[in-house]
Amino acid sequence: MSSSQQTAWSKGWGVALLLLVILLVDQLLKVWVKTHMNLHESFEIASWFKITFIENNGMAFGMEIGSKVFLTLFRVVAVGALGYYIWLQLRQQARKGYIVLLTMIMAGAVGNLIDCLLYGQIFTESTPWSVAELVPFGDGYAPMLMGRVVDMFYFPLIESTWPEWMPFVGGENFVFFSPVFNFADACVSVGIIALFIFYRKELSTITFKREQAEPTEQQEETAAQE
């Protein structure tokens, strides 16, 4: 990476652009689904890939943990902390790949946070019989912090039936990878998995304290000349 690219990245332009692109893709997908599909409506792209519209009150992949308000406030705090940590890594000139993955995670969190904060304020209720519509701010289906997250990606990779002889579940249908998720969830999941695979060293030394970056060779030569 050239010095000009490094300078632009270290100033945060790379992070800002990546964040903007992820949020744009995520929100365009969600708004299209929200305004074109009934709740629980589904159409098939391939036998193993469907667009299925659901909404959830909780965490990624439809999990629900704790109260809705607590989850939304937790997201706000987590996004703020992660944004500050990314800023520190930029100042310390951390590896670009590490910052990219952190930005993906933050962008995914912000994407779902937008749903929680705004969708209840600007959309009517989605139902199995009607498509949601945009309304003036405040006239939506839920109070601030209580909006539901829009999910749409469904990958039923394997659909089969449990053998009859199996206790409790014999004869019942099962689907391998049944969660329905969105683009923001995918960014968070890919970012976290890649961090643990490729950046374990950085994860083991996480700190929110600002550290003085080591001087570059050019800085050392300048100091010696002075």
Side-chain angles (χ1 to χ4, degrees):
M1 186 164 54
S2 67
S3 59
S4 61
Q5 290 175 318
Q6 176 65 44
T7 300
W9 185 262
S10 64
K11 288 182 178 180
W13 292 113
V15 169
L17 180 59
L18 179 58
L19 183 69
L20 179 62
V21 169
I22 291 175
L23 287 176
L24 186 61
V25 172
D26 178 63
Q27 290 301 309
L28 285 176
L29 285 169
K30 289 174 175 175
V31 170
W32 186 90
V33 168
K34 185 80 174 165
T35 56
H36 288 78
M37 297 178 67
N38 294 339
L39 189 64
H40 302 141
E41 183 179 353
S42 180
F43 62 88
E44 186 174 288
I45 305 297
S47 60
W48 47 269
F49 175 35
K50 301 177 182 179
I51 300 297
T52 301
F53 174 29
I54 69 168
E55 293 181 310
N56 73 80
N57 292 319
M59 305 289 282
F61 300 103
M63 295 183 292
E64 297 193 14
I65 305 173
S67 72
K68 177 64 180 179
V69 173
F70 171 79
L71 286 173
T72 302
L73 294 176
F74 174 79
R75 283 193 177 104
V76 172
V77 174
V79 166
L82 186 53
Y84 176 68
Y85 180 69
I86 291 173
W87 176 80
L88 289 179
Q89 296 308 300
L90 287 170
R91 295 298 298 265
Q92 296 164 20
Q93 298 184 0
R95 286 195 286 174
K96 182 179 177 181
Y98 184 56
I99 296 175
V100 166
L101 294 177
L102 292 173
T103 303
M104 287 176 59
I105 296 170
M106 185 176 75
V110 172
N112 285 334
L113 181 60
I114 290 173
D115 296 27
C116 298
L117 291 175
L118 299 181
Y119 277 27
Q121 297 283 297
I122 63 174
F123 286 112
T124 59
E125 184 87 17
S126 292
T127 75
W129 309 279
S130 62
V131 175
E133 297 179 355
L134 280 168
V135 294
F137 189 86
D139 292 342
Y141 66 85
M144 185 73 73
L145 305 180
M146 297 296 287
R148 293 187 288 271
V149 177
V150 174
D151 292 327
M152 75 291 291
F153 296 139
Y154 179 42
F155 288 88
L157 301 179
I158 300 174
E159 297 184 78
S160 187
T161 304
W162 293 106
E164 293 288 349
W165 53 265
M166 293 190 67
F168 307 113
V169 295
E172 295 184 5
N173 294 331
F174 78 91
V175 177
F176 175 74
F177 202 75
S178 59
V180 181
F181 59 98
N182 58 45
F183 186 71
D185 296 334
C187 289
V188 172
S189 300
V190 170
I192 291 175
I193 292 171
L195 282 178
F196 279 100
I197 294 175
F198 301 109
Y199 296 96
R200 291 190 297 272
K201 180 179 178 181
E202 282 84 351
L203 292 177
S204 66
T205 57
I206 285 180
T207 177
F208 284 86
K209 294 180 180 180
R210 181 176 174 180
E211 298 177 359
Q212 184 67 36
E214 295 183 2
T216 63
E217 294 182 2
Q218 183 177 359
Q219 290 173 330
E220 291 177 346
E221 291 176 0
T222 302
Q225 292 174 358
E226 293 177 350

